[in-house]
Amino acid sequence: MAGVIVDAAAAAAALGLLGGGMVYGSVWPTSQIFGRALIAGSDPREVALTFDDGPNDAATGELLEVLARHGVRATFFVMGDFALQRPEIVRLVHGAGHLIGNHTMSHPKLSMEPAARVRQELTGCNAVIEDITGAKVRYFRPPFGARRPVVLRIAREMGLTPVLWNVTGYDWKPIGAARILGKLEAGMARNQRRGCSSNLLMHDGGHRGMGANRMDTVRAVDRLLTAHPGDGTRFVTVDRWVEAAG
Ligand SMILES: [Zn+2]
């Protein structure tokens, strides 16, 4: 899979997990020890906006409006529990042409869970999304980026491609829209220097409960899209990089 780009140091630093031993292997997003995951393609002009932990009635609708205004499609890794609570929002996301991926039912750290629970979390979330949208789910992002061989094996058995990221928006912290935008722009610039695409991790929800305030994320996305209207940046969904990799 030529679309996989190694950006280990940035990703590990992003997670604050520059530890040793098993921690390295199971959560370092670009570690190849426990199998491969899709991160980004090789065209530095391509940028994927990805949003985890929704649907969220406090932000997803506003985010959809911003994306529609700029004519950009994004990737949403939704939680099954929230999708069950707000199926109408998932329907809107799908109807607007965005890519929807699996982010488990309840957001456990899968590297700590037995195989049966991993299977249950992935199967359950797929079923919820497919029931709402009628479209097969093909992508999966492990909560916290945590994974181990059995997690990736189960995901692939189910036809799911694991997806990580190489730019972190830090938008789960109360740092404000300007600093979120700064993190995104810095990460995109770094990837351009390295000659790879950018896969931006953001959140339209909060895994601890429905209603998380993510309006700073929405504002940061609006400013990002306003800043890159026609300068060669192409906003893509993550499936672009699987196709590109052949
Ligand atoms: Zn998450």
Side-chain angles (χ1 to χ4, degrees):
M1 186 183 294
V4 175
I5 297 294
V6 174
D7 184 17
L15 287 169
L17 287 163
L18 284 166
M22 292 299 285
V23 171
Y24 171 95
S26 61
V27 303
W28 194 318
T30 49
S31 166
Q32 299 302 307
I33 294 173
F34 288 157
R36 310 196 97 174
L38 179 67
I39 297 176
S42 55
D43 186 336
R45 293 166 298 183
E46 291 181 345
V47 176
L49 307 176
T50 74
F51 301 98
D52 292 6
D53 297 0
N56 174 15
D57 51 14
T60 309
E62 288 82 352
L63 180 59
L64 289 176
E65 284 179 23
V66 167
L67 295 171
R69 182 153 31 85
H70 292 279
V72 163
R73 290 192 309 133
T75 305
F76 290 78
F77 291 98
V78 309
M79 283 172 54
D81 284 352
F82 293 164
L84 280 175
Q85 292 175 47
R86 299 291 187 275
E88 67 282 3
I89 301 180
V90 176
R91 223 169 275 128
L92 283 175
V93 173
H94 177 69
H98 302 292
L99 182 64
I100 298 182
N102 182 323
H103 199 46
T104 73
M105 286 300 289
S106 65
H107 211 279
K109 195 166 198 173
L110 293 179
S111 56
M112 311 294 285
E113 298 292 340
R117 173 84 193 281
V118 172
R119 196 176 293 278
Q120 194 179 31
E121 286 280 343
L122 296 186
T123 307
C125 186
N126 266 9
V128 170
I129 297 169
E130 290 173 5
D131 189 45
I132 295 170
T133 67
K136 187 162 170 50
V137 180
R138 300 194 180 278
Y139 299 91
F140 154 65
R141 177 173 277 162
F144 312 107
R147 60 206 168 93
R148 63 193 166 110
V150 68
V151 175
L152 298 187
R153 180 172 57 75
I154 291 170
R156 290 196 183 278
E157 278 171 13
M158 295 171 59
L160 293 168
T161 298
V163 180
L164 297 171
W165 64 92
N166 64 10
V167 177
T168 306
Y170 295 92
D171 60 341
W172 63 89
K173 298 179 177 180
I175 60 175
R179 286 186 64 196
I180 294 170
L181 179 63
K183 303 278 186 195
L184 300 176
E185 292 278 16
M188 288 165 57
R190 186 184 63 231
N191 286 333
Q192 275 169 1
R193 286 195 300 274
R194 292 175 180 174
C196 65
S197 315
S198 286
N199 180 335
L200 277 46
L201 171 69
M202 289 174 279
H203 298 78
D204 62 324
H207 68 86
R208 290 186 185 83
M210 180 65 62
N213 183 349
R214 295 296 188 221
M215 288 311 292
D216 281 338
T217 300
V218 174
R219 281 186 278 270
V221 169
D222 196 7
R223 291 186 205 172
L224 181 77
L225 296 178
T226 302
H228 298 275
D231 62 353
T233 304
R234 283 199 300 273
F235 291 95
V236 300
T237 47
V238 299
D239 51 344
R240 158 80 189 142
W241 296 324
V242 174
E243 292 160 15

